[in-house]
Amino acid sequence: MNGCTYNLIDEPWITCSGRDGTCRAVGLQELLLCAHELREIESQNPLTIAALLRVLLAVVHRAVDGPKTKPEWQNLYETGFFSKKVITSYLEKVHDRFDLFSELHPFYQTAGLINLDGSGKPLTVSIAAIMLERASGNNKTIFDHTTDDMPLALSPAEAAHALITTQAFALGGLNKKTANLDLGYQQSYLNASLVSGIFIALTGESLFETLMLNLLLPEYHKVPIENDDLPVWERNDRGGDGVRPPKGYLDFLTGKCRHIRLLPDQHGGGIMVSRLHIAQGEVFPHEIGNPSFMRKKNNKTDEYYCPQLDPDRLVWRDSFSLFAFNDTIDERPAAFRQAKTMRRVVRPSAHYLCTAIALANDKANPLAWRKENLPVPVALLEEQSAVYLLIKSMDRADAVSRILDGAVKVYIRNVLPPNSKDVNDKAKATGTMGVYWNRLEGHFRTFLSSLEQEDVALSAWYDKITATAWDALETCVRQRYADSAASLKAWAAAGDELNKKLAGLNATKGGELL
Amino acid sequence: MKERKESGFVKFLEEKLKDDRAAMARLRRGLGKKTGTSEMYRYVVPFLPNEETDENRWQRSANRHFLIASLFSLHSESAGRGSSMGKVFRAMMASSPSVEKRFELLLEVDAEDLGGHLRQAVSLAKSKNVWVDFHQLFDDVIHWGDRSRGVQTRWAREFWGYEKEANKQTIETESKGETP
């Protein structure tokens, strides 16, 4: 018996910002009952936000036992808040399943799990094992420089965040541990369900609206539902390891990809968690598509796939994949498709954001995580004319990026000795394209926000693209290299190249020479 | 067309001294002398900043005025169109490709050595009958040492970069003494 208790329904472990701009920590019950007064979940780790959202959606789906039809969804939405009676009734029923340190049913964990060493004795693991941002085990030193020798202890709230995030984003790799409960020796881990794609959610003006917008009807999530579809906290079986199909959408949302048992310690009146046991849990087959993932078309094969986060490519550059649809093909994330259908019942003045959250990895090594928000004009959800403008806007940005890349190469070619072989490498090393796309992002948001102005918005966007290209060339090339006569000559050539090619695009300004 | 930079000092040189052979001879004797000669003081000192300002800054300003005045005496036919030395060298290159090497050397000098290289450049321009805009040159000399190297960049662009046909023709006709 560990004697510790920390119930996630009651304890304040989730930080949320209110619609009045203030922040406060709340438990699950308060979060759901006040969701209409809260703006969003706050966390330094964007992966935690995605993982928490899925848990909250599962709670709401289960509490309301639906919604299964559009009228049910509409009734829920039009109430404007979650029913206190419905939410408290459900949470009371499952109260004991949300205790983080319960001996019988620890939340999102496996009771009785023990890692064993070679002689069969218990062997605990550092809590850092479930923190991607910590340099632990074979993890590269990306974000911090602690080592496994340095003691690390988390508060119960922090441990809960790490636990939930791990169940959604744990990376596959070497395991080489033995565990009890018939799990035995496990050579390796498998990726958790949110690793292999970019998670997309629609964000509303309140947490209530966000949850509603992402509360998917069966016709949109399309995960086959069996009779025993339950969220993980209601299951009485501990689950196995390896790949198995989900029993339904609730199972899908709360899959337990790792068997974990947190080991709390009492420290001077408080509880801290520094050690745990861990083993491979259950994962779902890739064939079960994630309705919240971005899907992109492979132009060579015409097939759709779920791209992973590329640390060098911002998600907004794939806006076409996020927003494009026509009468016959609609591969947008499920929340978008549902929002288009439910648009008639949603407030006309509603402003949405598209929130993209993802992890980039190189096998077992986390490389980067990212959260991007993009404004979503209502027209973009519904009107193909708006999609057409979006296509034109992205085509222009891509065309200018190719021109800019060419101008950088002209510069490098003129600066290096004749017949140099590493022009491309040196051109890439200038970082010009990264600066171009990064600086373009803010202008793209402005463009999206003013999409209803159509040609005016598009013209202003074209101007910004041209200016940003010049800016990137100036910043990364002109200002960075020694100002010999050779480099000045190369600069004149690069400027000419950019000017000439931009003029060829019929940009509103061909670009004045700097 | 770019707005021409007007310098009161250069305007004085153009309007009051250009046709005064004695004055021009006095200015010409200041060539190569960074701090000018006593003969030049009557023409230059009235345009210098107040003596109470920073001494180093005052001296640098004085040196620039002496330099421009002596260069003007060398070749007093002004282009008057905002054309920089980049364009001047470009016009000269048509008849003398070796000019490019001289131009490259000029781009790399620092402010201390600029006077000598400009004297050679203006001499060459006179020999090629290419006009120099001393209003623009005066401003460029002031900013020659800027960290941004904006002057050098502009001269380089105007020498090596694409030039619109209309502008090129105008420089050529002006250099020949014809009205554009």
Side-chain angles (χ1 to χ4, degrees):
Chain A
M1 295 282 289
N2 61 47
C4 299
T5 180
Y6 190 88
N7 198 296
L8 301 180
I9 290 175
D10 310 311
E11 299 283 356
W13 64 287
I14 305 174
T15 303
C16 295
S17 54
R19 296 183 76 173
D20 59 357
T22 58
C23 277
R24 70 178 197 266
V26 295
L28 275 173
Q29 179 157 307
E30 186 180 355
L31 185 153
L32 290 170
L33 295 182
C34 298
H36 54 289
E37 296 166 356
L38 299 172
R39 182 178 296 281
E40 58 181 352
I41 297 168
E42 301 282 349
S43 174
Q44 286 193 338
N45 182 344
L47 307 183
T48 302
I49 296 173
L52 268 174
L53 195 60
R54 285 162 58 91
V55 168
L56 291 168
L57 288 170
V59 171
V60 174
H61 273 300
R62 189 68 177 143
V64 306
D65 191 25
K68 300 185 181 72
T69 64
K70 286 178 187 142
E72 283 181 28
W73 190 97
Q74 182 175 342
N75 287 337
L76 272 174
Y77 182 85
E78 286 179 343
T79 307
F81 52 86
F82 294 120
S83 157
K84 182 174 178 180
K85 182 179 172 191
V86 167
I87 297 295
T88 53
S89 168
Y90 174 69
L91 293 180
E92 274 169 15
K93 193 172 83 169
V94 294
H95 192 266
D96 63 316
R97 300 299 179 104
F98 280 80
D99 184 350
L100 202 60
F101 305 126
S102 163
E103 291 284 345
L104 283 179
H105 301 288
F107 174 76
Y108 228 150
Q109 299 163 71
T110 301
L113 177 71
I114 301 174
N115 289 122
L116 306 168
D117 65 13
S119 56
K121 292 182 185 163
L123 178 67
T124 62
V125 176
S126 166
I127 190 83
I130 60 169
M131 300 178 72
L132 277 171
E133 68 271 34
R134 287 284 181 172
S136 167
N138 292 327
N139 281 3
K140 280 186 180 170
T141 302
I142 303 287
F143 298 109
D144 85 332
H145 294 265
T146 56
T147 64
D148 286 337
D149 295 335
M150 297 168 69
L152 172 64
L154 301 183
S155 66
E158 290 167 334
H161 286 162
L163 171 71
I164 290 176
T165 308
T166 292
Q167 297 292 14
F169 285 99
L171 290 174
L174 285 178
N175 183 352
K176 289 187 173 179
K177 287 191 212 48
T178 304
N180 62 347
L181 306 179
D182 296 328
L183 293 170
Y185 176 79
Q186 294 177 332
Q187 173 69 17
S188 57
Y189 288 121
L190 299 172
N191 282 341
S193 57
L194 291 193
V195 168
S196 56
I198 299 174
F199 175 80
I200 303 293
L202 266 182
T203 301
E205 292 183 5
S206 70
L207 202 42
F208 168 78
E209 190 167 42
T210 298
L211 288 168
M212 283 307 306
L213 290 170
N214 296 286
L215 205 66
L216 299 177
L217 295 168
E219 66 195 87
Y220 291 104
H221 65 64
K222 295 182 183 173
V223 176
I225 300 174
E226 299 175 14
N227 287 335
D228 52 348
D229 180 27
L230 293 170
V232 67
W233 52 82
E234 287 193 44
R235 288 168 54 186
N236 294 319
D237 66 300
R238 63 170 174 264
D241 60 341
V243 182
R244 67 151 177 90
K247 294 184 170 57
Y249 189 52
L250 298 175
D251 189 21
F252 182 79
L253 283 174
T254 59
K256 192 167 69 172
C257 84
R258 295 287 187 269
H259 292 290
I260 294 174
R261 185 162 70 93
L262 299 173
L263 302 172
D265 287 315
Q266 293 277 4
H267 277 274
I271 302 172
M272 300 300 285
V273 184
S274 59
R275 311 294 294 181
L276 51 80
H277 293 289
I278 187 168
Q280 172 61 40
E282 301 170 321
V283 296
F284 305 126
H286 278 297
E287 297 79 53
I288 306 292
N290 191 322
S292 298
F293 274 177
M294 184 171 90
R295 289 169 65 76
K296 196 170 166 182
K297 189 173 174 184
N298 183 321
N299 289 328
K300 289 178 185 167
T301 64
D302 276 349
E303 287 179 359
Y304 281 84
Y305 69 102
C306 294
Q308 286 196 256
L309 177 67
D310 177 351
D312 296 327
R313 184 182 174 91
L314 296 166
V315 174
W316 73 266
R317 290 175 58 186
D318 287 315
S319 294
F320 176 76
S321 297
L322 284 174
F323 297 115
F325 70 98
N326 60 36
D327 292 333
T328 51
I329 299 174
D330 191 347
E331 294 283 341
R332 294 177 292 173
F336 284 32
R337 291 183 273 118
Q338 180 171 289
K340 182 193 171 197
T341 307
M342 306 310 291
R343 184 74 186 94
R344 286 164 204 81
V345 309
V346 175
R347 292 175 298 112
S349 62
H351 289 98
Y352 302 149
L353 287 179
C354 161
T355 299
I357 296 174
L359 171 69
N361 67 296
D362 174 18
K363 296 187 182 137
N365 292 315
L367 299 176
W369 62 46
R370 186 173 293 148
K371 178 183 174 215
E372 289 181 42
N373 283 326
L374 278 181
V376 180
V378 169
L380 208 47
L381 286 176
E382 302 178 348
E383 295 167 21
Q384 290 186 31
S385 58
V387 173
Y388 175 66
L389 275 178
L390 180 71
I391 293 170
K392 285 180 78 171
S393 73
M394 296 311 300
D395 281 349
R396 176 57 67 104
D398 283 334
V400 172
S401 80
R402 288 189 289 275
I403 289 171
L404 177 61
D405 189 46
V408 173
K409 285 174 180 160
V410 163
Y411 182 90
I412 296 295
R413 211 171 285 125
N414 277 275
V415 152
L416 291 180
N419 300 319
S420 292
K421 302 263 187 294
D422 55 350
V423 169
N424 288 343
D425 288 342
K426 288 215 163 36
K428 192 175 173 188
T430 64
T432 307
M433 302 318 297
V435 168
Y436 169 75
W437 287 112
N438 282 335
R439 290 191 183 175
L440 215 49
E441 183 183 1
H443 301 307
F444 183 69
R445 291 167 187 285
T446 305
F447 164 70
L448 278 188
S449 300
S450 55
L451 202 62
E452 67 274 8
Q453 295 172 36
E454 296 186 352
D455 289 342
V456 170
L458 197 62
S459 175
W461 167 242
Y462 285 178
D463 282 350
K464 290 298 183 190
I465 291 174
T466 299
T468 303
W470 278 112
D471 191 30
L473 193 64
E474 167 80 15
T475 302
C476 296
V477 172
R478 163 76 185 89
Q479 292 180 5
R480 195 173 283 191
Y481 290 91
D483 284 317
S484 62
S487 68
L488 288 169
K489 181 177 179 181
W491 172 250
D496 271 358
E497 174 73 8
L498 188 60
N499 209 24
K500 190 172 58 182
K501 294 282 173 66
L502 286 176
L505 272 186
N506 293 318
T508 50
K509 287 181 189 172
E512 290 181 359
L513 292 173
L514 295 176
Chain B
M1 198 187 296
K2 270 192 197 162
E3 197 62 37
R4 176 191 172 172
K5 289 185 187 294
E6 274 276 315
S7 158
F9 176 60
V10 175
K11 192 175 173 186
F12 165 75
L13 293 174
E14 289 173 337
E15 292 177 357
K16 302 296 183 194
L17 299 190
K18 181 177 165 183
D19 296 320
D20 183 338
R21 293 172 70 173
M24 294 294 276
R26 291 185 193 108
L27 294 179
R28 219 160 20 247
R29 284 194 284 272
L31 280 168
K33 296 184 174 59
K34 195 179 282 186
T35 53
T37 63
S38 54
E39 290 183 292
M40 299 170 77
Y41 289 178
R42 75 179 86 173
Y43 308 117
V44 172
V45 170
F47 291 91
L48 296 181
N50 193 315
E51 278 188 51
E52 283 87 29
T53 56
D54 174 87
E55 187 181 331
N56 282 341
R57 204 172 141 205
W58 186 91
Q59 189 60 61
R60 283 197 298 273
S61 177
N63 292 349
R64 284 194 290 264
H65 282 75
F66 288 127
L67 172 65
I68 291 299
S70 61
L71 290 176
F72 181 80
S73 72
L74 199 58
H75 180 30
S76 56
E77 300 295 330
S78 286
R81 284 181 59 254
S83 52
S84 73
M85 290 302 288
K87 289 190 179 177
V88 168
F89 270 87
R90 186 171 180 138
M92 292 193 291
M93 196 166 76
S95 55
S96 181
S98 63
V99 150
E100 181 171 4
K101 197 67 190 164
R102 200 187 287 268
F103 182 66
E104 288 177 1
L105 287 171
L106 172 59
L107 287 179
E108 295 190 3
V109 299
D110 58 26
E112 286 294 311
D113 298 326
L114 184 61
H117 286 262
L118 280 179
R119 191 168 80 242
Q120 291 176 17
V122 172
S123 286
L124 189 63
K126 182 182 171 75
S127 73
K128 304 284 180 190
N129 211 22
V130 175
W131 293 358
V132 174
D133 178 354
F134 282 96
H135 291 269
Q136 183 64 59
L137 183 58
F138 187 43
D139 189 70
D140 288 347
V141 167
I142 290 171
H143 294 291
W144 187 257
D146 286 0
R147 289 182 74 178
S148 66
R149 305 265 288 167
V151 172
Q152 290 88 337
T153 304
R154 181 163 39 82
W155 286 15
R157 187 191 72 228
E158 289 177 349
F159 183 79
W160 281 296
Y162 168 73
E163 183 163 37
K164 288 180 184 172
E165 209 51 45
N167 286 353
K168 193 160 61 172
Q169 198 172 29
T170 306
I171 291 175
E172 287 170 358
T173 53
E174 278 192 353
S175 295
K176 288 174 188 168
E178 297 166 12
T179 307

